């Protein structure tokens, strides 16, 4: 028979991992929404994106 303490710990770890995954997905979604708003509202978006590419290359 399985040890309830081990089973409970595994369940807590699985729940914590699920929570972290959901937090990461939420952060990605918020970043994408911000990016979409920026794209729609900023006439300088292309210039900013070009500068960002140059920064990453250096």
């Amino acid at each position: 028979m399985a040890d309830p303490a081990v089973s409970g710990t595994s369940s807590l770890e699985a729940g914590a991992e699920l929570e972290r995954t959901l937090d990461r997905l939420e952060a990605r979604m918020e970043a994408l929404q911000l990016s979409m708003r920026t794209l729609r509202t900023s006439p300088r978006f292309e210039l900013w994106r070009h500068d960002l590419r140059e920064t990453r290359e250096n």
Side-chain angles (χ1 to χ4, degrees):
M1 193 161 128
D3 183 356
V6 172
S7 178
T9 300
S10 295
S11 178
L12 285 174
E13 289 173 359
E17 182 60 31
L18 177 59
E19 188 70 28
R20 286 191 294 272
T21 299
L22 291 173
D23 286 346
R24 286 192 299 269
L25 288 173
E26 183 179 15
R28 289 178 185 174
M29 182 182 68
E30 288 174 0
L32 180 58
Q33 288 172 341
L34 175 61
S35 177
M36 295 295 286
R37 284 194 301 271
T38 301
L39 178 63
R40 287 192 302 263
T41 60
S42 175
R44 298 181 182 175
F45 180 74
E46 285 301 321
L47 180 60
W48 173 83
R49 195 165 67 171
H50 174 75
D51 290 347
L52 181 63
R53 278 194 209 115
E54 284 187 348
T55 301
R56 287 181 178 172
E57 289 172 1
N58 293 332

